[in-house]
Amino acid sequence: MTGAGEGLSADDVALFTARAEAARPPSQKLPPGQWAKKNLFDGFANIIFTLVFGFAGLAVLFFLAVWVIDADYEIVRRNLRIFMIGQFPKNELWRPAVSLLVVMAGVGFTSGALARNAHDLALEQDLPTEKSSWVSLIRRFWAVIAVVIFFVSFARTLTPYLLVAGAFALLVAGRELGWAINAAVRARAIYIGATIFLLSMLVIAGTSSLGGLSLGLITLFWVAGEVGRRDLPGGVVGLTIRWGIALVAAIVVYAIEVAIPYDGFGWENWGGLHITLFTTVLGISLGMPFGILLALGRKSDLPVMKTASVLFIEFIRGVPLISLLLFSNLMLPLFLPIDFERPADLTLTIVVITGFSAAYIAEIVRGGLQAVPKGQTEAAQASGMSAGSVQRLIVLPQALRAVIPAMVGQFIALFKDTTLLQIIGILEFLRVTDVANVQPDFLGKGLAPVTYLFVALGYWAFAYTMSKESRRLETKLGVGVR
Amino acid sequence: MRKHWILRLVAVFLGFTLLAAACGNDSSDGDAVEQDGGDTGGDTGGDGGDTGGDTGGDTGGDTGEDGGEDTVDLVQGGSVLAKVQDAGVVECGGNDTLPGFGIVDADGAFSGFDIDFCGVIAAAVLGDASAVNVTPLLAAQRFPTLQSGEIDVLIRNTTWTASRDGNEQANFLHTTFYDGQGFMVRDDSSIATLADANNASICVLTGTTTLLNLNAVLADRGIAFTPVTFESNDELNPAFQAGQCEVWTSDASQLAAFAATMDIPTRILPEIISKEPLGPVVADGDTQWAQVVNWATMATIQAWEFGINQENLSSFTDSEDTNIRRFLGLPIVDGDGNESIAEVGLGLPTDFAWNIIEQVGNYEDIFNRNLAGIGLTLAGSPNDLWTNGGLQYVPPFR
């Protein structure tokens, strides 16, 4: 065996693969005719079951198809804009359009760069790897692509078609750019991606102290990372220099952002699918790091950390999300001083949703941490790794790998939980159905099922893709294969 | 050690409970009921929160003092009128799913009877009816939101009741719409009055005041019936048309709205079994703002009584009638030949009524624009002018 640091040779890999293949039972793929005979029509009882359920299934499908084709989609056509972005003022529509283009370019760039990074790492270690083809990407994300095209097909003007086409084009271009750009830029892909995402929000919302704070936070970690690459004196001095510079940079960025006079539409005006996806993305991307910290905090030996984590997790998990939302929205303003400017409903909501998902993610991650054998930690410590490195390089990768299905389950649950935003008066995706069905032209026409079908497809496409991607990740990381 | 821990946790937990109890007040208990009603209230009309107020009354009672302090703070912070003039926009709590009263149209803009009255206030105070920011509220949210000062006025099919006036630190102003719970049957039904409905099946939304009222009133009158309950009007409407029940009970305004969309002819029974006066609400403790909202609202009715509407407004510039000239803020010549413009000291511009009528219209304009389309008629209804036998009567403007 070669040492881990020297990498595996191509021969080793071929040998392992051959052995693994030999150990597996032979595949039992039958031609369709034989498969049907073996599974559907062997024996009297099975034939009856197959016929009865087959016909029942086909009948249901047939009537559903007839209903779907016959339904009157005028209500969706007329309200498409509300379904997508809520009550956004008509003369300000360029904002969400630009934002969509920016965010798609950013997603393309970041995913391209990260894919290339993984590709290069695999090449370095002589592992089999290749650039994902566009065909394979379309196959992976077909549900979302199909539903987006379906949604756009309801548009009555050309602009939405052009917008979606432009967004796809930017996604492709961004991905190719991310793949092709030099390694130094790619190494910073996460920070670049986060910055682009934030800027896409600021295009709509305008500059604010909240936006400045978020940009400052990204700057803080980015600059700290940059400074950390240089040679610094060790110990407290080095840490102070590193975070001191980062903090100064963050404050400068904050000051610049706040000083730029660019007004926009505060996110209290956002709605529709936009707000649903937006809260989900923020809830996941903020909740996950926070949740991991909580899980580590709960396993920590420091009594203050441990108590705080346990209290937070158990309080949040013991209370329904709906009551937390109502509390933040209705009760919190009564505690605040009267001349204190009240945060927007959505700000409070995102804080609540982040905290809520963090508490659940923390318990999932804790389960993963417990699954990592103690020997791993001990061996890492024995080889002289610092406490931080042990967690970051040895324990967490194994723990997180083990809990992918539960974690993605939590993400999907969070995505669907965003429908609760309607109880505090936010016009999220599902609530638009109620709003559309009381318009004078559609009142009492029994069109609720049509709108529900439309909305359900939207939820399904994203939830299904998340779940599919999680299974792909599991296979890739070999979860469940020993 | 272990015991110590448990004690500490219990203490922390007790602290939380106390905190929640102290601040939760009526919204934690009473509004739980209110919210049920409120959901359906969105569909059915003014009935929604009504029970909430009544049921919330008991719980609200003992926490009333807490809330009272909040209100005092609010007033010390300055008048809402000054705040609105400063901000240049009226923050209005409304509804977004109540046909005719508050909906979101396909362009994403709010419209409806209640929403128009938000515009009336903005036109009066700021001279611009579009300077309104509508916040859609659920039934459970509306009073806490009003108390917190987030909205300046609440116009969201909220029924004026004693317990709400008393417990919610709310100040109910001139009623803009007199609603009530009614009954609808198919035109070919043998039921002519409520008494004929003995042993009938009655469709009703579950968890609403409507159902509670129905049980109470029909039990009093000794009428037996089978309730057929639904979660929403979207389910109830086809069931009624399919004949699953003989009678549909809801707010009269909503029955009319649904009747207008049906292919089958229907009738509304003469009995109205509850009083649902709906109108604008402001927070207690700010008399000036309450007067402003009240007179802006009443100006639409006064204009109607004078016969001034959006179309003929300009023809009144040379009206001879002193009352009309005073009302519209036009110069009046007194006996000595001096010209003056009447100033009534409400804190409103002298031409506020003119702005209201020009930009939004009089009561009849607002009614016909929003409610005629959903099948409601003004003539002969309780919302008609007092001179026509209705209930709309406002104090004289002088």
Side-chain angles (χ1 to χ4, degrees):
Chain A
M1 281 292 279
T2 49
E6 296 161 36
L8 295 165
S9 74
D11 288 348
D12 288 336
V13 174
L15 187 63
F16 287 147
T17 320
R19 274 191 200 153
E21 285 297 327
R24 273 190 206 132
S27 122
Q28 296 195 331
K29 199 145 192 184
L30 295 171
Q34 282 185 43
W35 179 87
K37 195 170 178 200
K38 180 162 182 251
N39 290 297
L40 299 177
F41 298 104
D42 64 328
F44 180 71
N46 205 349
I47 289 172
I48 296 288
F49 273 128
T50 302
L51 290 179
V52 169
F53 285 103
F55 277 117
L58 284 178
V60 167
L61 269 183
F62 174 75
F63 287 116
L64 196 67
V66 166
W67 182 84
V68 165
I69 290 164
D70 274 357
D72 178 7
Y73 292 96
E74 186 60 20
I75 186 170
V76 176
R77 249 172 248 131
R78 293 257 288 273
N79 286 289
L80 187 65
R81 181 148 61 83
I82 303 187
F83 273 110
M84 292 300 120
I85 49 168
Q87 295 169 268
F88 218 86
K90 221 170 181 173
N91 55 347
E92 298 279 351
L93 282 177
W94 63 271
R95 289 173 191 273
V98 170
S99 173
L100 176 72
L101 295 176
V102 171
V103 87
M104 289 303 265
V107 166
F109 177 82
T110 314
S111 74
L114 292 179
R116 178 69 187 276
N117 287 349
H119 179 74
D120 284 1
L121 194 69
L123 280 183
E124 221 170 80
Q125 302 187 347
D126 286 328
L127 292 170
T129 176
E130 61 182 89
K131 184 183 176 187
S132 327
S133 67
W134 285 102
V135 175
S136 75
L137 284 175
I138 290 173
R139 201 174 291 160
R140 268 163 65 189
F141 294 98
W142 71 268
V144 170
I145 297 173
V147 163
V148 166
I149 292 173
F150 176 69
F151 282 2
V152 175
S153 72
F154 287 106
R156 294 178 299 171
T157 58
L158 193 62
T159 328
Y161 287 98
L162 291 177
L163 185 63
V164 168
F168 270 121
L170 276 174
L171 183 73
V172 172
R175 196 174 158 91
E176 291 300 336
L177 179 71
W179 182 273
I181 210 152
N182 69 43
V185 178
R186 273 190 277 118
R188 294 157 177 87
I190 293 274
Y191 295 118
I192 298 174
T195 310
I196 293 178
F197 182 71
L198 249 170
L199 289 179
S200 79
M201 279 162 54
L202 294 184
V203 168
I204 307 183
T207 51
S208 66
S209 53
L210 195 67
L213 214 61
S214 323
L215 269 182
L217 215 60
I218 294 177
T219 315
L220 181 74
F221 288 106
W222 191 345
V223 173
E226 295 294 333
V227 179
R229 285 165 206 250
R230 311 260 181 283
D231 275 335
L232 287 177
V236 182
V237 184
L239 275 182
T240 317
I241 294 175
R242 186 175 168 190
W243 290 99
I245 294 177
L247 196 65
V248 170
I251 291 171
V252 169
V253 167
Y254 171 82
I256 292 175
E257 200 271 1
V258 174
I260 296 174
Y262 170 68
D263 271 346
F265 263 83
W267 53 18
E268 59 274 14
N269 296 308
W270 299 10
L273 182 62
H274 179 205
I275 204 101
T276 296
L277 292 178
F278 173 77
T279 10
T280 311
V281 168
L282 273 194
I284 291 173
S285 55
L286 298 177
M288 189 153 146
F290 189 33
I292 293 173
L293 286 182
L294 278 176
L296 293 175
R298 191 168 189 168
K299 301 258 302 177
S300 143
D301 295 329
L302 306 170
V304 177
M305 285 267 276
K306 191 180 165 107
T307 317
S309 305
V310 170
L311 276 182
F312 182 86
I313 293 172
E314 295 307 331
F315 174 71
I316 300 281
R317 273 165 45 100
V319 180
L321 178 56
I322 199 163
S323 65
L324 289 174
L325 286 171
L326 283 174
F327 182 86
S328 74
N329 190 258
L330 301 182
M331 304 278 68
L332 209 58
L334 298 179
F335 300 145
L336 295 175
I338 202 72
D339 43 359
F340 185 87
E341 199 195 334
R342 189 174 176 280
D345 286 352
L346 196 63
T347 316
L348 295 172
T349 306
I350 284 170
V351 170
V352 166
I353 288 214
T354 303
F356 187 80
S357 61
Y360 278 84
I361 289 171
E363 284 301 275
I364 292 172
V365 172
R366 193 169 66 95
L369 291 175
Q370 275 166 346
V372 178
K374 218 170 175 184
Q376 297 281 324
T377 320
E378 287 167 356
Q381 280 167 344
S383 62
M385 292 174 81
S386 73
S389 306
V390 173
Q391 295 296 340
R392 196 161 51 85
L393 299 172
I394 306 294
V395 178
L396 274 180
Q398 299 186 59
L400 293 182
R401 199 190 79 147
V403 295
I404 292 171
M407 191 90 99
V408 175
Q410 178 58 34
F411 293 165
I412 292 175
L414 174 72
F415 175 52
K416 292 186 289 190
D417 278 351
T418 57
T419 49
L420 289 177
L421 260 58
Q422 62 177 267
I423 62 131
I424 52 167
I426 292 175
L427 185 63
E428 48 73 51
F429 196 35
L430 180 64
R431 168 111 175 122
V432 182
T433 57
D434 294 344
V435 162
N437 276 292
V438 296
Q439 288 169 353
D441 290 349
F442 307 115
L443 179 68
K445 296 271 161 61
L447 292 173
V450 177
T451 48
Y452 282 138
L453 177 82
F454 179 81
V455 166
L457 265 176
Y459 282 106
W460 171 81
F462 288 100
Y464 171 76
T465 305
M466 275 197 253
S467 141
K468 210 173 145 187
E469 280 299 289
S470 104
R471 264 177 288 130
R472 191 183 142 265
L473 199 63
E474 284 166 39
T475 327
K476 206 172 150 196
L477 297 176
V479 179
V481 179
R482 292 277 168 192
Chain B
M1 180 68 190
R2 199 177 162 74
K3 201 173 167 192
H4 198 63
W5 254 106
I6 293 171
L7 272 178
R8 212 184 297 172
L9 266 179
V10 168
V12 169
F13 186 72
L14 274 180
F16 261 116
T17 323
L18 275 178
L19 201 70
C23 321
N25 67 36
D26 37 0
S27 297
S28 51
D29 301 351
D31 281 3
V33 182
E34 194 166 32
Q35 200 202 336
D36 282 353
D39 283 346
T40 25
D43 300 326
T44 52
D47 60 330
D50 207 22
T51 5
D54 299 340
T55 2
D58 291 341
T59 1
D62 39 34
T63 42
E65 294 145 50
D66 283 358
E69 282 168 21
D70 287 341
T71 327
V72 172
D73 285 348
L74 256 176
V75 178
Q76 282 165 350
S79 166
V80 178
L81 180 61
K83 194 205 110 186
V84 168
Q85 284 166 340
D86 195 39
V89 64
V90 175
E91 294 287 343
C92 190
N95 200 335
D96 58 357
T97 46
L98 187 64
F101 289 86
I103 60 159
V104 175
D105 63 26
D107 282 337
F110 285 101
S111 70
F113 184 82
D114 283 353
I115 307 292
D116 271 358
F117 274 98
C118 296
V120 163
I121 296 163
V125 177
L126 304 166
D128 177 8
S130 64
V132 174
N133 185 19
V134 180
T135 307
L137 297 170
L138 298 179
Q141 279 178 303
R142 50 192 166 179
F143 291 115
T145 314
L146 188 65
Q147 287 158 25
S148 72
E150 196 194 338
I151 54 171
D152 305 321
V153 57
L154 172 72
I155 314 184
R156 187 204 174 278
N157 54 293
T158 304
T159 306
W160 185 354
T161 66
S163 62
R164 285 181 178 170
D165 231 345
N167 292 327
E168 302 282 6
Q169 293 94 52
N171 190 355
F172 287 79
L173 304 172
H174 187 86
T175 299
T176 52
F177 191 88
Y178 293 96
D179 211 341
Q181 184 175 344
F183 297 85
M184 181 163 71
V185 294
R186 273 183 300 281
D187 201 30
D188 54 10
S189 165
S190 60
I191 300 172
T193 68
L194 199 51
D196 302 334
N198 205 8
N199 293 323
S201 55
I202 301 182
C203 277
V204 58
L205 290 183
T206 178
T208 55
T209 350
T210 322
L211 180 58
L212 300 178
N213 270 340
L214 181 70
N215 284 325
V217 172
L218 269 62
D220 281 352
R221 301 191 187 178
I223 301 171
F225 69 100
T226 319
V228 185
T229 57
F230 293 87
E231 283 290 339
S232 80
N233 281 328
D234 284 327
E235 300 161 30
L236 197 157
N237 183 26
F240 174 76
Q241 295 194 53
Q244 283 183 35
C245 54
E246 294 157 76
V247 186
W248 178 356
T249 181
S250 181
D251 278 349
S253 62
Q254 297 306 301
L255 289 178
F258 278 97
T261 69
M262 284 183 199
D263 298 330
I264 53 168
T266 55
R267 267 186 296 122
I268 290 182
L269 302 187
E271 286 95 340
I272 296 289
I273 63 166
S274 72
K275 291 189 285 187
E276 313 279 350
L278 314 173
V281 191
V282 297
D284 262 348
D286 188 343
T287 321
Q288 189 187 21
W289 177 241
Q291 283 172 350
V292 163
V293 173
N294 216 14
W295 279 98
T297 309
M298 293 191 297
T300 62
I301 295 161
Q302 182 63 64
W304 181 25
E305 194 178 330
F306 279 144
I308 313 172
N309 60 35
Q310 216 168 355
E311 274 176 21
N312 65 16
L313 174 65
S314 50
S315 68
F316 282 87
T317 42
D318 38 55
S319 165
E320 303 284 309
D321 189 329
T322 319
N323 283 328
I324 290 181
R325 293 193 74 84
R326 187 187 294 117
F327 176 66
L328 292 175
L330 299 168
I332 301 164
V333 183
D334 63 14
D336 304 332
N338 295 325
E339 250 188 24
S340 67
I341 292 175
E343 171 55 70
V344 285
L346 287 169
L348 283 167
T350 48
D351 60 349
F352 81 96
W354 180 281
N355 288 337
I356 290 173
I357 304 162
E358 185 183 27
Q359 298 179 20
V360 193
N362 72 17
Y363 185 91
E364 195 181 19
D365 292 330
I366 297 173
F367 191 101
N368 288 334
R369 183 186 313 140
N370 297 295
L371 301 179
I374 63 164
L376 293 178
T377 44
L378 187 50
S381 78
N383 294 299
D384 207 345
L385 263 183
W386 64 285
T387 47
N388 302 335
L391 294 174
Q392 289 297 5
Y393 176 98
V394 295
F397 191 89
R398 57 168 188 256

